[in-house]
Amino acid sequence: AFLMEAPPAWLMQAFGKLPGPLQQRAQELLMRIMKDMFLPALSTIPASWILVYVPHAVKMAAILRVQKIADYNNKTPRSTNPDDFGESAGLIKRCIACHLNALESFPAFVAAVLLCKLQKAKPLEVTRLCMRYLAMRALYTICYIAGTNDAVAAVRSLSWMG
């Protein structure tokens, strides 16, 4: 059985200083988490899905800096050649590669989280690992998009191993 420790005193003091309605909403959230200790880990799934599309949004912004939205090839967007966008070509290529990499890793992450829940793994350990994955994925995404030199590319590679 899983035994939960009492919250730290500082947390209880901060909780007590919240305004009434906010305190009630926080209490409701905590009660939901108490009922399903995997809720924090499961909430990392939509967060990681958002991270999958960050490079795509950056790519679109880079494209729209060079051309008008009316000129964007939405019929066959995969046929768009990044080299047609001058100085932004490198950024667009890195964004595409980062987005594809995130799409490749997302299903494995989701499967791991769901399997941990099914196997009744320690919920706090699973949440810690999920948060670590999100942090490393965010660092990886930032470094991939900004990776114009060897040092940043090295940090990107290290974050993938993190």
Side-chain angles (χ1 to χ4, degrees):
F2 176 74
L3 298 175
M4 185 163 171
E5 297 177 21
W10 64 266
L11 180 63
M12 295 308 294
Q13 289 171 352
F15 187 78
K17 293 178 182 177
L18 292 173
L22 189 57
Q23 195 177 64
Q24 184 175 357
R25 288 179 57 196
Q27 185 177 10
E28 290 169 3
L29 176 64
L30 288 173
M31 293 305 290
R32 286 175 52 196
I33 292 172
M34 295 291 282
K35 287 180 184 174
D36 184 359
M37 293 295 291
F38 275 96
L39 191 60
L42 292 171
S43 70
T44 63
I45 293 172
S48 66
W49 183 246
I50 290 168
L51 272 175
V52 167
Y53 281 92
V54 166
H56 185 69
V58 173
K59 176 193 86 166
M60 288 304 300
I63 288 173
L64 295 177
R65 242 186 298 141
V66 176
Q67 73 179 25
K68 296 177 185 172
I69 195 164
D71 296 332
Y72 180 70
N73 179 2
N74 200 33
K75 291 178 187 164
T76 56
R78 292 183 184 191
S79 67
T80 301
N81 184 358
D83 292 326
D84 294 342
F85 295 94
E87 291 179 10
S88 297
L91 172 64
I92 293 168
K93 289 176 183 178
R94 288 190 308 277
C95 288
I96 291 169
C98 185
H99 176 65
L100 292 175
N101 178 275
L103 284 171
E104 292 166 0
S105 72
F106 180 75
F109 172 71
V110 173
V113 174
L114 295 177
L115 284 172
C116 284
K117 181 170 173 57
L118 289 173
Q119 292 296 316
K120 297 182 170 99
K122 295 177 183 176
L124 296 178
E125 180 68 13
V126 175
T127 299
R128 185 184 69 76
L129 291 170
C130 288
M131 294 299 179
R132 182 176 171 180
Y133 172 83
L134 280 181
M136 292 297 106
R137 187 79 227 180
L139 179 62
Y140 181 85
T141 300
I142 291 165
C143 290
Y144 212 133
I145 292 170
T148 56
N149 64 47
D150 290 339
V152 176
V155 171
R156 179 191 84 212
S157 296
L158 290 174
S159 71
W160 185 240
M161 295 181 238

